[in-house]
Amino acid sequence: MNIFPKNSQALAVALSQIYVAEVPGAQSNPQILKYAIDYGITWYTHDEIGWCSLFLNWVAKQIGSTGTGSLLARSWLNFGDKVITEPSVGDIAVFWRDSPDGTQGHVGLYLNEVNRDGKIYLRVIGGNQSDQVKISEFPKWKLLDFRRWV
């Protein structure tokens, strides 16, 4: 039995994959394809297919969680518990892309907030951030929700 909270476990797993990146062109990174194989998504055949949610589902499996089973980033809006107060490091951050009411999104693990010239950004680690697992900043105003691991 792991004594660490799931946020910490998820963060450790995500950090272990830092800089795993897509392979340009027709090739695919075997590690990204392995995320799908390990999670049981058999139709995923190329790292050009969006994989931020795939990565988080793989992380979930590594820590004994179910994940969402979906490659849609917004599927994480229905996962775990809604964070009512301040987010904790390792909580799930779900962002919108294109439109707040649309279907496109991004998901990663929250690290902290930074203020750049009066604008707040959230630092998250996630997959498919500039085609790799890395730490990136996203505008806080694009945040849909924080979710806590269960």
Side-chain angles (χ1 to χ4, degrees):
M1 181 172 139
N2 197 321
I3 62 169
F4 295 103
K6 290 222 185 258
N7 329 25
S8 298
Q9 294 175 46
L11 186 59
V13 171
L15 286 168
S16 77
Q17 300 298 298
I18 200 99
Y19 303 127
V20 168
E22 292 179 16
V23 176
Q27 299 285 322
S28 288
N29 185 322
Q31 182 62 27
I32 296 171
L33 298 180
K34 186 176 182 317
Y35 297 150
I37 292 165
D38 288 354
Y39 195 70
I41 299 175
T42 57
W43 59 265
Y44 190 90
T45 58
H46 200 279
D47 64 15
E48 290 292 319
I49 300 168
W51 53 279
C52 66
S53 184
L54 170 64
F55 178 70
L56 210 55
N57 274 298
W58 178 83
V59 168
K61 183 168 185 178
Q62 304 311 300
I63 65 169
S65 182
T66 59
T68 67
S70 172
L71 293 189
L72 297 175
R74 289 183 185 223
S75 67
W76 292 90
L77 291 170
N78 299 312
F79 178 84
D81 293 328
K82 181 177 181 59
V83 174
I84 304 299
T85 57
E86 293 296 313
S88 297
V89 173
D91 279 346
I92 299 158
V94 185
F95 299 91
W96 60 269
R97 253 186 24 217
D98 300 331
S99 165
D101 300 321
T103 59
Q104 299 290 315
H106 183 71
V107 65
L109 300 179
Y110 172 79
L111 297 173
N112 65 342
E113 285 187 8
V114 293
N115 185 326
R116 299 219 186 286
D117 300 321
K119 296 178 183 164
I120 305 297
Y121 293 87
L122 302 178
R123 293 180 74 221
V124 300
I125 182 170
N128 205 19
Q129 295 181 177
S130 301
D131 299 334
Q132 63 183 303
V133 177
K134 65 181 272 190
I135 296 169
S136 301
E137 294 179 2
F138 294 87
K140 187 173 183 177
W141 57 271
K142 286 193 166 192
L143 179 73
L144 290 169
D145 205 0
F146 286 116
R147 306 299 293 188
R148 185 145 299 145
W149 293 94
V150 291

